[in-house]
Amino acid sequence: MVRRVVRSFITLVGAAGGFGLANFISRQEVMQRLIPEGTTYYAFIVVSTLLASLIAFIFAPSLMRAVVQAMEWTETSLQKMPTQDLLGGAVGLIIGLIIASLLGYSFSYIPVIGGYLAILVSLILGYLGMKLGMRRKDDLLSVRSFFPRFTTRDKEKVSRLEPRSQGKILDTSVIIDGRIADICRSGFLEGTLWIPSFVLEELRHIADSSDLLKRSRGRRGLDILNAMRKELDGMVQIYEGDFEDLTEVDSKLVRLAQTLGAQIVTNDYNLNKVAELQGIRVLNINELANAVKPIVLPGEEMNVQVIKDGKEAGQGIGYLDDGTMIVVDGGKKYIGQTIDVFVTSVFQTAAGRMIFAKPRMSVDKKLSSTTASSLNEVNVSG
């Protein structure tokens, strides 16, 4: 219904334009000789009006599509643009059009081309004003009566005192991982959490995979996103834009981070390195997990359940609650039991921390045997 109304309106506009153009042409001296007033004159007006309305009717759908596409492109561009740039550009455009209107009044006295010059000057000064306003937005928006004016030194002080709350872009790996939801609930992440539409599309493909493991991981990621959107009201936003010139999701994430001035939250090692090379800050959940693991020092005692045997003969493997692996020397015979162990050394690797320990019972036996031998030596010498 709306399309029909718009198409009818465009047809009427075309008819009005054809009527006006035919009337203008017929009033010219040359045309008055060719088309004298009378039946021929009215026939020319009617034919021109009908022809213009027919052309408008035929090209109305293409015109409507072009207008819709232009509006969508404008809306997407404005969404990507920071608010300060929008305000600065609007102020600059207004100033440029005011100056153009003052100059256009002077140009109006020039015969024939005066009106066209005024339009041209308005376009040029409006564009220049908008560009200058976006570049000099800080100066334009620092009017004392409306906005506080900060010097460079003041801005440095404020940036030190106030924490910066940048947006965070979540990639597929960190969504599937699931720990991001608990981190957000704890309040350690601030700012908007952006979920790009191409990441959602990748999650959907994973959730529809024929592989059972991939399908369960993808569905878990979608469930985590739904829970985050319900619990973190207003914090999680969907970014609808896409970058058609790029095919890889990692490249799109880097481009989006550059566009929004945001940080990337990921578990992907390769994406981490590529983003850092391009000057984008990356928050890696694995690095955070390693940073908050409890520090264990050699000589400490702990209680651990031996789950399986290790690579070396006689070794047993156990894990702490945070997933840290404990290699128990001589712990193979205690598989399935919970024992007290004595930490002998701690190693930090790229995969995380590894703790090496010995059963407390064996250490006690060794100490008791050493003590007994020492006492025997004392008795013999005595």
Side-chain angles (χ1 to χ4, degrees):
M1 183 64 185
V2 176
R3 290 180 176 272
R4 292 180 180 178
V5 172
V6 175
R7 192 171 188 178
S8 301
F9 176 76
I10 294 175
T11 304
L12 290 175
V13 171
F19 176 80
L21 181 62
N23 192 29
F24 174 77
I25 293 174
S26 62
R27 292 180 180 275
Q28 304 302 314
E29 184 176 353
V30 176
M31 296 301 297
Q32 285 181 351
R33 296 175 182 174
L34 297 175
I35 308 175
E37 289 189 6
T39 306
T40 307
Y41 170 78
Y42 293 114
F44 174 74
I45 296 293
V46 171
V47 170
S48 300
T49 303
L50 292 176
L51 182 62
S53 62
L54 180 62
I55 293 173
F57 180 81
I58 294 173
F59 288 98
S62 301
L63 180 62
M64 286 188 290
R65 282 195 298 269
V67 171
V68 170
Q69 291 176 358
M71 291 177 65
E72 290 178 351
W73 178 83
T74 304
E75 182 181 358
T76 303
S77 301
L78 291 177
Q79 286 180 351
K80 295 179 181 178
M81 192 177 298
T83 305
Q84 288 186 341
D85 289 352
L86 285 174
L87 292 175
V91 173
L93 177 63
I94 293 171
I95 295 174
L97 291 178
I98 291 175
I99 297 174
S101 65
L102 296 176
L103 293 177
Y105 181 74
S106 302
F107 288 131
S108 63
Y109 290 100
I110 301 177
V112 183
I113 62 172
Y116 302 105
L117 282 177
I119 296 174
L120 182 63
V121 169
S122 298
L123 293 174
I124 294 175
L125 291 182
Y127 176 77
L128 291 177
M130 182 179 65
K131 298 297 289 185
L132 289 174
M134 293 173 63
R135 292 181 182 178
R136 308 288 298 182
K137 56 181 177 295
D138 292 334
D139 296 333
L140 287 174
L141 300 179
S142 62
V143 182
R144 291 186 180 274
S145 57
F146 297 98
F147 301 96
R149 186 179 182 86
F150 294 106
T151 61
T152 304
R153 186 175 299 176
D154 293 332
K155 289 180 180 178
E156 292 177 355
K157 291 180 180 178
V158 171
S159 63
R160 293 193 192 112
L161 294 174
E162 296 182 357
R164 290 181 293 177
S165 178
Q166 289 182 311
K168 311 295 187 299
I169 303 172
L170 306 186
D171 81 328
T172 310
S173 64
V174 82
I175 295 172
I176 293 176
D177 180 272
R179 289 176 291 179
I180 185 66
D182 295 327
I183 294 173
C184 293
R185 292 188 194 102
S186 64
F188 280 96
L189 280 182
E190 296 180 346
T192 303
L193 297 179
W194 290 104
I195 313 296
S197 58
F198 48 85
V199 168
L200 285 177
E201 187 67 17
E202 187 179 31
L203 270 177
R204 188 183 66 80
H205 283 301
I206 296 174
D208 293 338
S209 174
S210 57
D211 185 88
L212 179 61
L213 180 59
K214 286 186 177 180
R215 185 165 65 247
S216 61
R217 292 177 64 197
R219 291 178 179 177
R220 177 189 167 175
L222 293 175
D223 291 339
I224 289 171
L225 277 184
N226 289 329
M228 289 175 62
R229 291 198 70 179
K230 292 177 182 177
E231 296 177 15
L232 308 173
D233 186 27
M235 189 175 179
V236 179
Q237 299 290 335
I238 305 297
Y239 182 82
E240 299 291 348
D242 199 353
F243 303 97
E244 301 293 342
D245 57 323
L246 300 175
T247 55
E248 295 184 358
V249 175
D250 289 356
S251 302
K252 292 182 179 183
L253 286 169
V254 172
R255 177 77 65 82
L256 179 59
Q258 292 173 339
T259 303
L260 298 178
Q263 303 169 354
I264 297 178
V265 185
T266 182
N267 280 338
D268 191 331
Y269 178 82
N270 294 327
L271 175 59
N272 194 334
K273 294 302 178 184
V274 171
E276 287 180 349
L277 285 174
Q278 301 195 37
I280 298 171
R281 188 179 177 189
V282 179
L283 304 179
N284 194 308
I285 301 298
N286 289 333
E287 293 179 359
L288 176 63
N290 289 332
V292 298
K293 283 182 179 178
I295 299 176
V296 180
L297 299 176
E300 292 187 7
E301 297 181 15
M302 61 177 59
N303 191 263
V304 64
Q305 182 182 12
V306 182
I307 299 176
K308 59 182 180 179
D309 57 341
K311 293 183 179 180
E312 303 295 333
Q315 286 183 346
I317 303 295
Y319 295 93
L320 294 180
D321 293 337
D322 61 0
T324 303
M325 180 189 294
I326 302 177
V327 180
V328 182
D329 188 16
K332 183 176 181 179
K333 56 185 176 182
Y334 300 109
I335 292 177
Q337 302 180 31
T338 301
I339 61 173
D340 293 327
V341 297
F342 184 85
V343 178
T344 57
S345 59
V346 180
F347 289 96
Q348 178 69 47
T349 66
R353 289 189 179 93
M354 289 184 63
I355 300 175
F356 291 85
K358 291 184 177 181
R360 181 66 187 172
M361 291 169 283
S362 62
V363 174
D364 290 339
K365 289 179 181 179
K366 186 176 180 180
L367 289 175
S368 61
S369 62
T370 304
T371 304
S373 62
S374 301
L375 291 174
N376 290 332
E377 292 177 359
V378 171
N379 292 331
V380 170
S381 61

